[in-house]
Amino acid sequence: MRKTIALLVGFLVMIGLLATTGSARAGGWATVTVSELPAVVVAERPFTIEFSVRQHGQTLLPDLDTAVTAVQETSSTRVNVQAKESSEEGFYTATLTLPQSGEWRWGISSWGMVYPMPPLLVNEAVAGDLGIGGETAVAWQLVLGWLAAAGAALYFLLWTRQRSRVQLAGLALLGVVSLASFALHAQMPVPVLAESETDLLPAIAPDAMGEALFVAKGCIQCHVNDNVTMAENMFQIGPDITFVKRPSEYLEVWLANPASIKVETIMPNLHLSAAEIETLIAFLKQQ
Ligand code: HEC
């Protein structure tokens, strides 16, 4: 009997595995490109990641089940956010709030695979930001306001039964406390960003930006580059492009629109900005 159950379980697990790998492979492969890496990330402050998914590196894919997952190993914290489709077909957005400062690894899961992205440095929460003291103070005044109001109502009830001065004094006192609490709450200044805003560190160190773009734009998914340590090549679609010897002028044209040089190329036009192209070229020319 036990043996039969074990066999049955083993069989079901196998079917499950086959089904999942099958769906991951269905239709071949896809690349993921982040539209823009966040410049600065602050703990507890939401930020949005937009990305696109291209089947075979080419066709933008709508209707996908995709998610962004961030992990901080030192604190064993994991944040997982289901991505939503954006108005542009094949583009998705996910808004993340990372609870702690420090380094966070993250990736985009789509198409049954996880696409690792460049690690982000998260700044400590800025005093004055929503959620740090501000929110609890607000709640505290509201709680007092309502408690005092309830007390005042009770005294009013007692007073209607027995018109004594004690009840009236209680009613007046708690009424004032309640009104004062609500007034204080209404007066609470809208949280402002502290002056330390200017001291915030960039999410990605400037000297790592070339490698970060190479990973976030999806180049690493198709190309091997030995200078990349943040992620590994996933599909061997393009050539190894460690230390490219082509002149910068050529690379500028190629990265802006590969098909303008080679009509039939598999390499997509990723709509890179001029600044991104410049940073990527500097990285490609690194020995
Ligand atoms: C979907 C796969 C794919 C992606 C994504 C991709 N490439 Fe390519 N890339 C190719 C292929 C394929 C070639 C080879 C050209 C050909 O035969 O079409 C190529 C060629 C190149 C070349 C050599 C051009 C030459 O003529 O010497 C460079 C440089 C390059 N890619 C850089 C990049 C960079 C940087 C990114 C990211 C912004 C990137 N690629 C993203 C597939 C890709």
Side-chain angles (χ1 to χ4, degrees), residues 27-100:
W29 51 281
T31 53
V32 170
T33 299
V34 172
S35 303
E36 204 177 335
L37 283 167
V40 170
V41 180
V42 180
E44 317 236 20
R45 197 189 291 176
F47 64 101
T48 299
I49 302 276
E50 187 196 64
F51 59 93
S52 57
V53 183
R54 286 179 173 82
Q55 184 173 24
H56 301 147
Q58 298 280 329
T59 322
L60 286 163
L61 275 180
D63 306 322
L64 287 179
D65 189 14
T66 68
V68 176
T69 307
V71 176
Q72 188 179 48
E73 270 135 40
T74 51
S75 66
S76 320
T77 318
R78 190 170 176 274
V79 173
N80 183 60
V81 176
Q82 194 68 26
K84 291 194 190 94
E85 283 198 79
S86 94
S87 51
E88 217 174 322
E89 193 167 279
F91 282 76
Y92 301 83
T93 59
T95 299
L96 281 84
T97 307
L98 302 180
Q100 278 126 27

Side-chain angles (χ1 to χ4, degrees), residues 214 223-228 239-248 251 280-287:
F214 197 89
H223 291 284
V224 168
N225 185 311
D226 294 340
N227 292 322
V228 174
D240 183 325
I241 46 170
T242 314
F243 186 43
V244 177
K245 292 179 198 71
R246 296 266 198 198
S248 299
L251 290 174
L280 278 166
I281 292 176
F283 178 70
L284 292 174
K285 298 224 151 256
Q286 219 169 285
Q287 211 141 8

